[in-house]
Amino acid sequence: MKNQKQFYENATKNLLSKLNDMGLSDTDKKKAIFYTKLLRESFKYDEIKKFTFLSGENDIWDFGYDSAGFCRIASITFSLAMGFQDWRLMCIDKMKWPGKMDHHYLQHVPSGTFFDITYDQFEVYGEKVPYEIGTPTTFGLVPGDSVLRFAKAMDIDIFGMLKGKTKTV
């Protein structure tokens, strides 16, 4: 296994570099950089993992790598923070790839570029995500959802973002 801490830091740098190549406006690029850094930093904290993942049905909060388990959560949060119109939530069904679980990521609609805030949760173990087989999916937010627990732990107003009433940066 690779040095996970260094691999994680390099993955964050790769994501930030990718944002530079997407043709974002200066304002959107600043927001995207801010939220990428914020989300990636938050994945490191046990308190945030526990608050996000522990629920009445689930007693597992650490999935062995900092970004593991956060794909849907981070993708939805990032999309909403960015105004969500230009970001499509995508999903690869667990039955269609060897990843053994559904995987969520984003597609930047204007450029067609895939943006996966948690891609490294697979690559750290040598697995490549086949983005081209993913399909668009809905946010599907329900009360008690892990996205809402994560947002609460981060003091992010998800519903304000949905309504366009919350300043995101």
Side-chain angles (χ1 to χ4, degrees):
M1 182 179 308
K2 302 173 183 181
N3 176 327
Q4 287 189 3
K5 184 176 181 180
Q6 187 60 50
F7 191 85
Y8 189 86
E9 296 307 319
N10 288 340
T12 301
K13 289 177 187 173
N14 290 340
L15 287 165
L16 296 172
S17 176
K18 188 170 191 166
L19 291 169
N20 287 322
D21 299 330
M22 295 175 79
L24 300 171
S25 70
D26 287 342
T27 301
D28 281 350
K29 189 184 327 181
K30 286 178 187 174
K31 281 178 28 178
I33 289 169
F34 173 82
Y35 278 102
T36 300
K37 287 179 178 179
L38 177 68
L39 295 172
R40 299 281 303 173
E41 185 64 26
S42 72
F43 302 158
K44 298 178 188 179
Y45 292 95
D46 289 349
E47 297 81 11
I48 291 173
K49 290 178 189 180
K50 288 176 185 177
F51 194 86
T52 301
F53 296 116
L54 291 179
S55 67
E57 309 116 24
N58 190 13
D59 61 355
I60 299 171
W61 60 270
D62 186 347
F63 299 100
Y65 181 75
D66 285 337
S67 66
F70 280 104
C71 62
R72 178 176 168 272
I73 294 163
S75 294
I76 291 172
T77 303
F78 182 91
S79 175
L80 291 172
M82 294 301 294
F84 78 89
Q85 295 87 351
D86 286 344
W87 299 89
R88 179 180 299 129
L89 183 63
M90 304 291 290
C91 182
I92 302 172
D93 184 282
K94 65 185 170 192
M95 302 306 285
K96 295 184 179 178
W97 77 299
K100 298 181 182 62
M101 63 185 70
D102 290 349
H103 181 60
H104 293 82
Y105 56 97
L106 296 168
Q107 183 176 34
H108 180 242
V109 176
S111 69
T113 304
F114 297 121
F115 188 68
D116 184 355
I117 297 170
T118 65
Y119 79 94
D120 53 313
Q121 70 178 308
F122 299 104
E123 284 198 7
V124 73
Y125 301 109
E127 183 83 36
K128 293 282 185 188
V129 178
Y131 298 110
E132 64 283 349
I133 68 169
T135 56
T137 190
T138 62
F139 285 9
L141 293 173
V142 296
D145 191 284
S146 57
V147 174
L148 301 176
R149 290 192 306 271
F150 175 73
K152 185 174 183 178
M154 298 291 298
D155 198 26
I156 295 173
D157 180 7
I158 289 287
F159 293 110
M161 287 178 172
L162 277 169
K163 296 174 186 173
K165 296 181 180 178
T166 299
K167 183 178 179 192
T168 57
V169 174

